[in-house]
Amino acid sequence: MLHMVVCIKQVPDSREIRIDPKTNTLIRQGVPAIVNPYDLNGVEAALQIKDQFGGRVTVLTMGPPSADKALRQCVAMGADEGVLISDRAFAGADTLATSYVLAKSIEKAGRLWGQPAIVFCGKQTLDGDTGQVGPGIACRLDYEQLTYVEAIESVDPDRGEVVVRRHLEDGVERVRAPFPVLITVLAEMNKPRRASLPGLLHAQTYQPIVWSTADFEDLDRSKIGLRGSPTVVSKTWVPEPRQVDTEFLKGETGEVTSRLAQVLVERLQTVQGA
Amino acid sequence: MAEAKRKPAVGLQPEVDVDWSAYRGVMVVVEHRRDKVAKVSWQLLGESRRLADKLDAPLMAVVIGHEAEDIARQAIGYGAERVYLCDAPELADYRTRPYSRVCLHIIREVKPEIVLFGATYTGRDLAGAIATHLPTGLTADCTQLDVDDNRLLLASRPAFSEKMVATILCKQFKPQMATVRPGVFEALPYDPRRMGEIIRVESPLDRESIRTEVLEFVEAVNRVNLEDAEVIVAGGRGVGGRAGFDLLAKLADALGGQVGASRAAVDLGWISHDHQVGQTGTTVRPKIYIAAGISGAVQHVVGMQNAELIVSINKDPNAPIHRIAHYAIVDDLFEVVPALIEAVQAARPSARVPVV
Ligand SMILES: Cc1cc2nc3c(=O)[nH]c(=O)nc-3n(C[C@H](O)[C@H](O)[C@H](O)COP(=O)(O)OP(=O)(O)OC[C@H]3O[C@@H](n4cnc5c(N)ncnc54)[C@H](O)[C@@H]3O)c2cc1C
């Protein structure tokens, strides 16, 4: 059976985060937690493949116990199982430590439900904004790596391959890769479905599977959480806006614009002369 | 209790005692596709020149591809002292597995203390794979770089929708790696007389291991290229609709520039996303940036504040955009822009002749 895994993350809705002007620190209180939007595109992609070929979709998240809500949302959409990988020891992980735990979890999911042919991740998270976890997982599992995918052209479970379109700055690349493969998806790929009513009802009582460090036989403790993270944040600050001596151009529109035009054209001449 | 608390070991420690002192120099991985080099690669060489000087260490570049010797030579012209060139037919197209294997091979042989990539789709794809293999720390999407007295890379990047900046260190591993946002740093002027050495590296690849195949590359037509534009005339919600953007396009034409936009205008469907400037759009550094009907939210400003000359046209005297503008006009853009088009055409009649 075609087994697919989607890695998701619950994130604070960063659009709602404000800075406390007195202390210059983040106000996190009252900021709603959402499923990282791109991850939902990953869930949708997996569900569409399942709709077409059958199979099984497992959703994984590493996070605090409250992240079970994010898993339920995906189960309501149609995912078969949600796994919460949760332990204090996992906290403080950077992308290297995160990809280690997720890769170990995908291996474990593979032992339970068959090796995943496709693993989906969002192209990046709203809060971390790195896009590094997907490549990290692919590298650890030795999967083919297809990032920034805007469309899946075809899936062939018999031959065990996919053809995707990768989005690049100056165009689009069509790539064929054999299973197993890790795909990171862009928002353009699809529109995540709304949960059906039976889906919602099922999700209401659904209890995600929880894995803590004790549930892994082969976890290297030195590679998880804060201890397993090579990068450290040394400081954060609120950036100062650039200091400019603004000249306000006042007066009659015709005068103002001809003065400005003069300045602009002079600038361009020095540019082109250089 | 008198027992002294032991400080917990913070951060990943190397598995064995490693002597990192052999790691020296700054290395930039040059990105190119179909003979065109991503500008950010040259910008990185420019900024890395400063870092390498501060470290008193060499500045190196890596070029991977097929028939890419000319690109290696260009890298020297942009400041690299040494270029590691791996040239093989199977490296013609970028693919993660072969490219990351070649980079790993070069990094392990050459031992640079810092390795930098453009924060492009390809740069992020490649850097993420390499950092995991090594392993080492990788900081994404940096906008400021520096080194301290302990030769640590201070990699700073925006956090929380650009509301804060965080400086990130990797103390226990070498090389220290980062991807860097395009458009933030300046390239050195290209100088074909600059001297440097090209070192050819044998491809360490087993061809059988390359299983992914690039079938086709479809170049986007009419995708705007804001990164290369010398003049950008950008509009926001205040432009009011597509017709307003047609007006801005006329001004852009008169100045030989391109049209940019705020996210609000893009979200309203008045113009496509490739015109968007800012955190979730493009970072630009044109000679002239004219912002019309844009309020100047921080997510927009981070994408354009490095423009050499900024002009704001906004009827709200308190709009934050005025504070970062060199010339500010507090007025209705529908009055100002048409007059400005005429004034530019009068001051620069030749501009109406299309330059080929
Ligand atoms: C995670 C995140 C990422 C984001 N990324 C980006 C990004 O990449 N780029 C970006 O731009 N934004 C981004 N934003 C959105 C940003 O916060 C602002 O909402 C957006 O920039 C506002 O666009 P605006 O200035 O066009 O609109 P508004 O803030 O509504 O400003 C319109 C301005 O037009 C002026 N105006 C109206 N009519 C006229 C007239 N006739 N003549 C002159 N002036 C007039 C008004 O005075 C007003 O100042 C992001 C936000 C988030 C949360």
Side-chain angles (χ1 to χ4, degrees):
Chain A
M1 190 170 47
L2 190 62
H3 183 203
M4 290 170 283
V5 166
V6 189
C7 300
I8 69 161
K9 186 182 183 192
Q10 195 179 45
V11 297
D13 189 346
S14 60
R15 290 162 289 200
E16 305 277 335
I17 293 180
R18 303 265 174 281
I19 307 278
D20 183 332
K22 286 203 197 88
T23 58
N24 263 358
T25 52
L26 294 166
I27 309 172
R28 291 172 195 252
Q29 247 172 5
V31 177
I34 56 171
V35 179
N36 182 49
Y38 307 110
D39 301 350
L40 289 177
N41 297 107
V43 174
E44 177 61 33
L47 292 176
Q48 282 182 11
I49 295 172
K50 183 185 160 184
D51 289 346
Q52 200 178 345
F53 301 103
R56 178 185 179 92
V57 177
T58 307
V59 179
L60 298 181
T61 189
M62 182 177 89
S66 56
D68 68 341
K69 194 171 150 247
L71 293 171
R72 276 209 206 93
Q73 186 180 336
C74 301
V75 167
M77 285 170 72
D80 296 280
E81 204 77 74
V83 182
L84 174 63
I85 307 140
S86 191
D87 197 307
R88 293 188 82 98
F90 294 138
D94 72 358
T95 54
L96 193 74
T98 301
S99 70
Y100 176 72
V101 173
L102 288 174
K104 283 286 167 201
S105 306
I106 292 165
E107 282 173 357
K108 188 174 164 75
R111 287 193 291 273
L112 291 171
W113 302 300
Q115 196 207 13
I118 311 179
V119 173
F120 289 100
C121 291
K123 73 153 178 166
Q124 62 192 54
T125 56
L126 279 189
D127 59 342
D129 222 355
T130 69
Q132 288 167 193
V133 171
I137 295 172
C139 168
R140 291 178 186 283
L141 297 175
D142 202 24
Y143 275 34
E144 295 300 310
Q145 171 176 328
L146 300 173
T147 51
Y148 308 106
V149 171
E150 63 172 38
I152 297 176
E153 276 189 14
S154 64
V155 179
D156 189 335
D158 297 330
R159 296 174 57 125
E161 63 176 39
V162 287
V163 176
V164 302
R165 286 210 295 267
R166 294 188 63 225
H167 183 92
L168 299 167
E169 283 79 4
D170 52 350
V172 171
E173 188 180 75
R174 295 180 59 234
V175 188
R176 176 175 32 227
F179 291 163
V181 41
L182 180 133
I183 295 176
T184 79
V185 302
L186 300 182
E188 288 81 358
M189 186 188 274
N190 54 41
K191 194 162 172 282
R193 65 191 63 185
R194 287 164 162 271
S196 65
L197 191 60
L200 283 171
L201 289 174
H202 168 56
Q204 241 172 24
T205 54
Y206 176 79
Q207 289 298 328
I209 298 170
V210 182
W211 291 341
S212 72
T213 46
D215 292 293
F216 294 89
E217 304 79 47
D218 53 349
L219 205 65
D220 181 343
R221 290 268 186 161
S222 71
K223 291 189 178 155
I224 64 174
L226 197 58
R227 256 180 82 193
S229 302
T231 60
V232 290
V233 178
S234 78
K235 63 171 178 172
T236 57
W237 73 94
V238 176
E240 291 281 324
R242 181 160 94 159
Q243 292 299 318
V244 203
D245 281 328
T246 305
E247 184 183 340
F248 281 87
L249 299 177
K250 292 185 184 132
E252 199 253 316
T253 308
E255 273 165 35
V256 165
T257 49
S258 39
R259 228 199 100 202
L260 182 58
Q262 217 61 51
V263 174
L264 298 180
V265 169
E266 261 165 41
R267 276 282 169 146
L268 288 178
Q269 271 158 0
T270 55
V271 171
Q272 278 156 4
Chain B
M1 285 227 292
E3 200 184 62
K5 261 201 188 144
R6 255 185 61 202
K7 243 174 117 183
V10 168
L12 186 64
Q13 307 292 318
E15 272 168 27
V16 282
D17 269 340
V18 197
D19 178 15
W20 297 115
S21 63
Y23 284 72
R24 276 189 96 80
V26 183
M27 182 177 272
V28 171
V29 178
V30 175
E31 178 184 336
H32 59 98
R33 187 158 44 245
R34 308 196 322 155
D35 296 332
K36 268 209 295 225
V37 177
K39 264 183 137 187
V40 63
S41 302
W42 305 147
Q43 293 162 359
L44 275 176
L45 280 175
E47 177 66 5
S48 300
R49 181 70 268 169
R50 190 180 71 80
L51 301 180
D53 288 345
K54 227 169 146 176
L55 292 165
D56 191 19
L59 174 55
M60 301 166 278
V62 171
V63 174
I64 302 172
H66 185 42
E67 297 174 348
E69 186 166 341
D70 185 52
I71 290 169
R73 253 191 279 280
Q74 288 179 48
I76 294 171
Y78 280 106
E81 293 161 52
R82 246 188 271 153
V83 183
Y84 294 89
L85 171 64
C86 187
D87 202 309
E90 66 266 28
L91 295 169
D93 290 316
Y94 172 79
R95 282 168 296 179
T96 313
R97 192 184 297 266
Y99 269 59
S100 61
R101 296 307 185 276
V102 171
C103 274
L104 280 165
H105 173 69
I106 293 173
I107 289 170
R108 288 187 176 130
E109 290 283 312
V110 180
K111 298 183 171 41
E113 61 201 295
I114 295 172
V115 182
L116 302 173
F117 308 76
T120 55
Y121 295 113
T122 302
R124 284 178 165 217
D125 183 280
L126 180 60
I130 295 170
T132 313
H133 266 290
L134 279 166
T136 190
L138 170 63
T139 305
D141 207 23
C142 296
T143 52
Q144 289 176 43
L145 297 173
D146 211 345
V147 287
D148 72 5
D149 295 341
N150 300 316
R151 308 183 78 86
L152 276 179
L153 176 69
L154 312 177
S156 301
R157 58 163 311 204
F160 301 103
S161 303
E162 314 279 332
K163 287 169 190 131
M164 296 193 110
V165 181
T167 301
I168 292 164
L169 310 177
C170 170
K171 293 182 178 171
Q172 307 291 349
F173 290 85
K174 295 271 162 38
Q176 309 161 84
M177 302 208 332
T179 63
V180 177
R181 190 179 285 190
V184 176
F185 295 116
E186 226 168 331
L188 298 172
Y190 180 71
D191 181 354
R193 287 160 310 175
R194 243 187 271 269
M195 300 294 276
E197 186 188 359
I198 295 177
I199 299 158
R200 286 186 173 272
V201 180
E202 281 295 315
S203 161
L205 296 171
D206 159 19
R207 279 191 196 204
E208 293 291 293
S209 72
I210 310 177
R211 289 173 293 168
T212 294
E213 187 187 351
V214 177
L215 303 173
E216 185 184 12
F217 176 78
V218 187
E219 193 163 358
V221 280
N222 297 332
R223 213 185 262 181
V224 277
N225 186 350
L226 293 179
E227 261 173 62
D228 291 329
E230 301 221 306
V231 178
I232 294 172
V233 181
R237 198 193 300 273
V239 167
R242 287 171 196 249
F245 272 100
D246 290 343
L247 184 63
L248 296 191
K250 280 195 196 122
L251 178 56
D253 274 350
L255 290 163
Q258 303 264 7
V259 176
S262 75
R263 171 153 156 191
V266 172
D267 286 350
L268 285 162
W270 299 342
I271 190 159
S272 65
H273 180 261
D274 24 320
H275 293 267
Q276 184 179 315
V277 173
Q279 182 201 347
T280 43
T282 312
T283 302
V284 298
R285 47 179 324 141
K287 311 281 175 194
I288 298 174
Y289 191 91
I290 302 179
I294 292 178
S295 60
V298 20
Q299 296 90 358
H300 185 80
V301 168
V302 290
M304 45 67 75
Q305 60 189 350
N306 289 327
E308 283 175 28
L309 183 82
I310 298 171
V311 178
S312 60
I313 307 170
N314 191 311
K315 60 184 178 189
D316 175 5
N318 296 318
I321 192 76
H322 292 314
R323 270 179 265 147
I324 60 148
H326 301 90
Y327 295 99
I329 301 178
V330 181
D331 204 347
D332 186 344
L333 72 93
F334 294 102
E335 300 279 324
V336 177
V337 174
L340 189 56
I341 294 171
E342 267 180 39
V344 168
Q345 285 171 345
R348 198 187 178 215
S350 60
R352 266 183 289 177
V353 183
V355 191
V356 184

